[in-house]
Amino acid sequence: MRIRHALARVALTACLGSPVDLMAASKTDAALSQRHKFDIAPQPLSSALRQLSAQSGVRILFPYDEVVAIRSRRVQGWLSTDDALDRLLAGTAFKHSEAGVGVVALIIPANRSTTRRSPLAVQLAQVGVAGAAAPVSMTPGTEAEEASTPIIVTGTRQTTRTVAESLAPIDVLSARDLEASGKQSVRDLLGTLVPSINVSNSGAGASFAVKTLSLRGLAGDQLLVLVNGKRRHNTATLFINGTTQNGQSPPDLDLIPSSSIERIEVLRDGASAQYGSDAIAGVVNILLKDDASGTAAFLSGATADGGGEQGRFQISKGFRIGDGGHVHFTLDAYLQGRTYRSAPNPGLFYARMGQLYSSTTGALDPREATVDRNVNKGGQPQVSGVNFAYDLSLPVNDMVEFYLFGTASRRHSDAWLTYRFPDAPNNIPELFPNGYSPHLHIYDEDFQAAAGLRGDLSDTFHYDLSSSFARDWVKYRENSVLNASLGPASPTDMHIGSVTSKEWTTNLDIRKMVDLGLAEPLLAALGAEYRWNGYAIGAGDPESYVDGGYRSTGGANAGVLRTSGSQGVTGFPLSSAGKWNRHSWSAYLNLEQQVAEGVEVALAGRHEDYSDFGTTDTGKASLRIEPVRGLALRGTASTGFRAPTLQQQHYSSASTINVGGVLLPVSALPVDSPAAVALGATPLKPEKSRNLSAGIVLTPTTRLNITVDAYQIRIRDRILLSETLQGPLVRNVLAAAGITSSAGGFYFSNAADTRTRGLDVVSTWRADLSDLGHAVFSLSANFNKTVFTHVDAVPPVLASSDLTLIGRSKRGDFTKGTPREKFIANILWTKGPASLNLRATRYGKVTMVHPTTSSLDAEIDPKIIVDLEAGMELRKGIRLTAGANNLFNSYPDKLLPILQGNGFSLYNQYSPYGVSGGFYYGRLNFEF
C-alpha cells in the first residue's frame, strides 16, 4: 500500500507540475515519434488513454478526477504516438509532456482547481507486455458504466459531451436498444422507446404508405431528421386524408434499414438556429455503423387474429480499408402481409336497383338475403421492399478524410380501399355486377447520397465540407377500379400519376477552440448551407381523370350523369402536372463556453434566405449550472421556423373519401389555384415558433440517471389543412375552375396559432444483480397539452355560406388526437447467454373529434400495451429470440356504426398502437 501511495504521489506531482518545467526537462523520446496503426473508438477518455498505451507501448500518467468526465474522439490510421495523443486530446484543455523514457504525463491547465484531488485519483496506463507490471489502478473500475454513456453529436458542436452534460434533453438509443425493442422499422423503434414520440398508423387514399411520427405533440414535418449529421430529405407523398398528421410530407424513416444504425440521438428541443428549417419540435440524428462488425438476422411472425405475416432478412458487414479507412454495407429485405380488420358491410347492395323493389311494400331484392357481406378489406396494407445503406471513409492524408454514405430503397405498398355498391353511381354493373373495392398500388423509389471532406487544420481547428443529393419518386396505380363516366368502355387498371421530390444540400462547417482564459476554451462554430428543392407532379392516364359524360339508359341510375375519374384516387390531370423548385442559403454562428467550473452557456444564431418567401432569423440561448457534482440545472430559450414544403404549396389531386358517412370525391387545391383563391386562400408563410424549456439532471451515481424537463412551444402562423369545404358555393367555384368531378375541396393556410406545454421525465438505473446477472430499469413519461391561442377570422367568401376553415375536427386533431400522457416502464435483464426484455406502455385517452357534434366524438380509452422478448445465445455469435409486440392482443375502441363507413373502419384509426392487434415473432441473429 505504501508503494502505491508513493507511486501515486510521484504521478500526481508530474501531472500537477508546471508545464514549463516539464517541457524544459523533457527530452525527445523516439517512442513518441514512432508510427503505429491506431484504432480507438469514441469512449471515455480514461479508457481511450489505456487503449492508446496498449497500441503504442507508451505509458501514460493522467489525473483520473479530471479525465473521468471527458469523452474522447475517434483516432484511426497510421500515426505517430505524439500525433495520436494530440488528436485524442483535441477539444480538451489538456497538454502532454514526457515524464521519462517511454512515459507521458498529461498536464492540467494552471487555472484548474486541484484542491479536491486525492493522490489516489491518478492512474497509470501502461502497455501490458510479458514481464511488465500490471497496470496501476487507483480508482473504482467505472469504465463499463461510463462507456454506456456515449459522446453525443446532436444539439452541440462539441466532440466530448455526453447526455448528462448536454444543455438540452437528448435521448440516445444504441444498436443494442434498437435490437432489444422488438420493433422492425425505425419509425416504430422511436415510437416505442421515446415517450414524447407518438406514431400515426393511418391514412386514406394515397397516404396509407406514409410513415409519420409526432414529437411533443407537434407535426411530423416539424421534426428535423439527420443522418450522420446531414439533413434527410422529405417524402414526395403528401399525407392527405389521414388523422393527426394530415397535410404533411415528413422524412420516411422506414426507408433507412434499422440494422445499419449504430445509434439514434433524439434532441427534444427547438434547434432551428443550429440546424435550420423544420427543427421546431426537435431533431432525430441517425448515426450509421462505421466499424468492421458483421451481423445477420432472419425474422418471421404474424398477428394473433390472422394476417400481418412478416418476413425480414437483414445483413450488415463492415471492412477496414488501408490505413484507417472503412466501408460498411447493410441490406434489409422485408415482406409484410395485410390484415383485415373490418366488419361485414350492413348496407343495401341491390335494393336501389329498382327492378324488384316496391316503394309501397318495401320489399327488397331477394339477393339481399344471400349476398356475401364480407367485402370490406380495411386494415394493415401489404408492403414489400428492400433498403440498402452504406458508410465509407478514407483518409486522404494525416489531416484530411474523405467520406461517403447514403441509402437506396424500393418499396411496393398496396391496400384495398372502401367498397363501392353494385347500384352506386360510381359503378358500372356490366363491369362489376357485385360491386368492387379499388386496389391501390404505390411504388416508391428513394435514394440519398452524401459525400464530403473533413479534417483538422490544427489541434483546435476542424472543418467539414459536404454535399448531398436525394430523390424520392412515387408512382400510383389502381386496378379493380373504373371511371364510371366512361361507361362499360372504362378500363379497370390505370396509371394514376406520380410525384417526385429532389433535394440538394451543400454545407461548410468550421469549428475552432479559442482559449479566453476561462475554465475551458471557447468553442466557436460557424458555417453556411445552400439548399435546392424540386418537386414535380406527373399526369396519369387520361382515362383516370377525364369526364366521359356517360349516362345509363336503364335501372335506378337511368339518365344519371356518372362520377368521373378513377375511384379511390382520381388520376392527376394535365392541369395539375408541373415542376416547381426553390433555393435557399443560410449562415450560422454557434458559441459554447464553460465560464466557470459547473457553469456553461451556449448561443446560436442563424440567418436564412429563401427564393420564394424571403428571409428569417432565429436564435437560441442555453444555460447549464452544476452546483454540485451529480446535480445540474439546464434551460434554453429559442426561436424557430419551418418553411412550407413545395408539396404543401403545389400539390393538386382528388380522391374519394368518407365525408359524414358518404363517399364523396374531394379535391386538394393549391393555394395559388383560381379555385383556392376564390375560396379565400392566400400565399403560405413560414411557421414561427418560440421555445422555452427548463430541466434538472440527477446523476447521483454512474448507474442512475434522472432527467425532468418542462417545455412550452408557441407556434405562430401554423400551416394547417382546412376542413373539407362543401355546398353550392364550393361546387360553383370548382365548376368555374373546370373541376366538375369533385363535391368539395380543401387547401392549406396559416390560419391559427397554437401553444404546446408539457413535461418529459426519463430515468434509468443500471443494476448489478450479482449472481442473478445485470438489469437496466427505465421509467419514462411525457405529459403534453396543445391549445389553439388564435384562429383567424373565416374568409368573407366562406362566412357568407356559413363555412368554417378550421373547425372542430381540425382543432381536435391537434388538441386531442394524440395521447395527453404516455408512460413507458422497461426492464432489460441479462445473465450470461440469456436475456429478457419486458416493456409496458400506457397511452392516455385519444379522441377523434367529429366535425359537427360532440355526441359523435370517438374516444379511445387509456390502455396498457405490453411487449415481451426473450433471447438465448445458442453458441458464440448465434442467438435465438422469441417475442410479442402487444402481448395481450389489445385493440382500440370500436367506432360507432355511423362512423364505420359501412364497416370498413371497424376500429378507431387514431389509435397510437395500431388496429391489427398482437404481433408474435421469432428471430435468429448471427454475428461474424
Side-chain angles (χ1 to χ4, degrees), residues 204-543:
S207 302
F208 66 81
V210 178
K211 310 298 184 183
T212 66
L213 54 81
S214 168
L215 176 63
R216 289 183 165 179
L218 300 185
D221 52 10
Q222 290 168 329
L223 171 67
L224 177 64
V225 175
L226 308 173
V227 176
N228 285 351
K230 308 303 179 184
R231 177 181 287 267
R232 180 74 176 179
H233 63 286
N234 290 6
T235 177
T237 299
L238 189 65
F239 197 67
I240 292 289
N241 309 326
T243 54
T244 57
Q245 301 295 312
N246 221 2
Q248 297 161 44
S249 51
D252 194 332
L253 295 176
D254 287 355
L255 298 181
I256 301 173
S258 59
S259 56
S260 71
I261 298 173
E262 177 63 29
R263 72 178 188 271
I264 301 176
E265 298 180 356
V266 181
L267 171 63
R268 293 178 275 115
D269 193 39
S272 292
Q274 296 164 294
Y275 296 104
S277 178
D278 305 341
I280 287 179
V283 177
V284 169
N285 189 8
I286 297 173
L287 302 171
L288 303 179
K289 291 179 179 178
D290 60 357
D291 56 19
S293 64
T295 61
F298 301 86
L299 177 139
S300 179
T303 61
D305 296 322
E309 299 86 359
Q310 186 173 147
R312 186 177 289 263
F313 168 70
Q314 299 173 315
I315 186 168
S316 179
K317 182 67 177 99
F319 305 90
R320 296 298 180 195
I321 302 177
D323 298 336
H326 80 272
V327 63
H328 200 108
F329 299 107
T330 302
L331 182 69
D332 181 1
Y334 56 92
L335 174 64
Q336 171 188 284
R338 60 175 57 88
T339 60
Y340 298 111
R341 298 295 185 264
S342 298
N345 198 311
L348 298 178
F349 283 62
Y350 302 102
R352 288 167 291 187
M353 293 294 289
Q355 294 94 336
L356 297 175
Y357 176 80
S358 170
S359 60
T360 57
T361 64
L364 299 179
D365 188 315
R367 288 176 293 175
E368 291 288 345
T370 59
V371 66
D372 180 7
R373 298 187 176 277
N374 294 308
V375 293
N376 290 327
K377 300 178 181 180
Q380 175 179 285
Q382 178 171 283
V383 184
S384 62
V386 58
N387 297 328
F388 176 70
Y390 56 94
D391 186 283
L392 175 146
S393 71
L394 291 172
V396 178
N397 54 44
D398 289 347
M399 305 297 289
V400 181
E401 178 186 51
F402 169 78
Y403 62 90
L404 172 70
F405 65 88
T407 62
S409 304
R410 297 192 68 175
R411 181 176 63 194
H412 173 211
S413 308
D414 69 276
W416 297 92
L417 307 183
T418 311
Y419 176 76
R420 273 67 170 167
F421 288 101
D423 65 335
N426 50 21
N427 183 38
I428 301 297
E430 292 88 339
L431 295 176
F432 296 106
N434 296 315
Y436 66 100
S437 295
H439 193 189
L440 178 61
H441 298 260
I442 299 179
Y443 302 88
D444 201 326
E445 294 185 5
D446 181 277
F447 79 87
Q448 181 165 5
L453 295 172
R454 60 191 172 205
D456 301 301
L457 297 181
S458 70
D459 292 345
T460 62
F461 194 103
H462 178 82
Y463 69 90
D464 186 343
L465 175 64
S466 67
S467 188
S468 72
F469 181 79
R471 175 181 180 267
D472 184 47
W473 176 73
V474 183
K475 181 181 72 172
Y476 306 103
R477 192 169 195 91
E478 276 189 296
N479 55 28
S480 181
V481 73
L482 53 76
N483 180 342
S485 71
L486 296 176
S490 172
T492 58
D493 189 325
M494 306 179 196
H495 169 60
I496 304 303
S498 65
V499 290
T500 306
S501 67
K502 298 178 182 179
E503 184 168 292
W504 174 36
T505 306
T506 300
N507 294 88
L508 174 62
D509 301 291
I510 299 172
R511 186 175 68 244
K512 171 71 174 174
M513 303 297 296
V514 182
D515 193 348
L516 301 179
L518 298 175
E520 297 286 352
L522 168 72
L523 170 68
L526 58 90
E529 176 182 278
Y530 173 83
R531 182 150 45 99
W532 176 91
N533 290 94
Y535 180 64
I537 296 177
D541 294 337
E543 295 83 0

Side-chain angles (χ1 to χ4, degrees), residues 583-840:
H583 64 268
S584 65
W585 67 268
S586 64
Y588 75 86
L589 174 65
N590 188 184
L591 304 174
E592 298 183 34
Q593 175 70 69
Q594 182 174 342
V595 296
E597 191 165 348
V599 180
E600 289 185 84
V601 296
L603 300 172
R606 192 180 194 94
H607 175 79
E608 297 256 358
D609 190 327
Y610 282 78
S611 60
D612 54 352
F613 58 77
T615 63
T616 186
D617 297 294
T618 54
K620 183 175 183 178
S622 304
L623 173 66
R624 185 181 186 274
I625 302 174
E626 188 173 3
V628 295
R629 187 162 186 171
L631 170 65
L633 306 175
R634 63 189 179 191
T636 66
S638 66
T639 59
F641 77 101
R642 185 182 76 84
T645 64
L646 291 174
Q647 291 91 317
Q648 290 173 328
Q649 291 177 301
H650 301 290
Y651 182 83
S652 175
S653 181
S655 56
T656 304
I657 63 174
N658 191 321
V659 181
V662 180
L663 287 178
L664 292 175
V666 296
S667 292
L669 306 172
V671 293
D672 59 353
S673 66
V677 172
L679 293 173
T682 58
L684 293 178
K685 300 178 293 185
E687 297 175 334
K688 299 291 184 70
S689 70
R690 293 184 178 181
N691 295 47
L692 297 173
S693 70
I696 184 171
V697 181
L698 297 173
T699 52
T701 72
T702 56
R703 297 178 181 272
L704 177 63
N705 179 261
I706 303 171
T707 64
V708 181
D709 293 276
Y711 57 89
Q712 174 178 281
I713 307 169
R714 290 182 175 272
I715 302 178
R716 180 164 50 91
D717 297 328
R718 191 157 182 173
I719 300 173
L720 304 174
L721 200 58
S722 73
E723 303 283 358
T724 300
L725 306 174
Q726 304 176 71
L729 168 69
V730 178
R731 289 195 298 271
N732 291 337
V733 167
L734 294 176
I739 304 174
T740 59
S741 60
S742 290
F746 43 79
Y747 59 83
F748 286 97
S749 71
N750 298 97
D753 303 337
T754 63
R755 184 192 67 215
T756 300
R757 287 176 176 168
L759 184 73
D760 288 329
V761 181
V762 179
S763 60
T764 304
W765 176 39
R766 303 177 183 275
D768 185 353
L769 305 179
S770 187
D771 293 340
L772 296 178
H774 300 270
V776 179
F777 298 87
S778 62
L779 180 63
S780 54
N782 171 255
F783 306 88
N784 193 81
K785 182 179 181 180
T786 296
V787 298
F788 280 74
T789 57
H790 171 78
V791 177
D792 289 352
V794 179
V797 64
L798 299 181
S800 63
S801 296
D802 199 27
L803 295 174
T804 301
L805 196 63
I806 307 297
R808 289 190 83 248
S809 63
K810 291 302 173 187
R811 298 192 196 195
D813 284 349
F814 294 96
T815 59
K816 299 181 179 181
T818 55
R820 186 70 61 86
E821 64 276 337
K822 179 181 175 183
F823 299 88
I824 303 175
N826 199 102
I827 302 173
L828 174 59
W829 170 83
T830 58
K831 185 180 188 304
S835 67
L836 183 71
N837 191 47
L838 176 64
R839 179 176 54 251

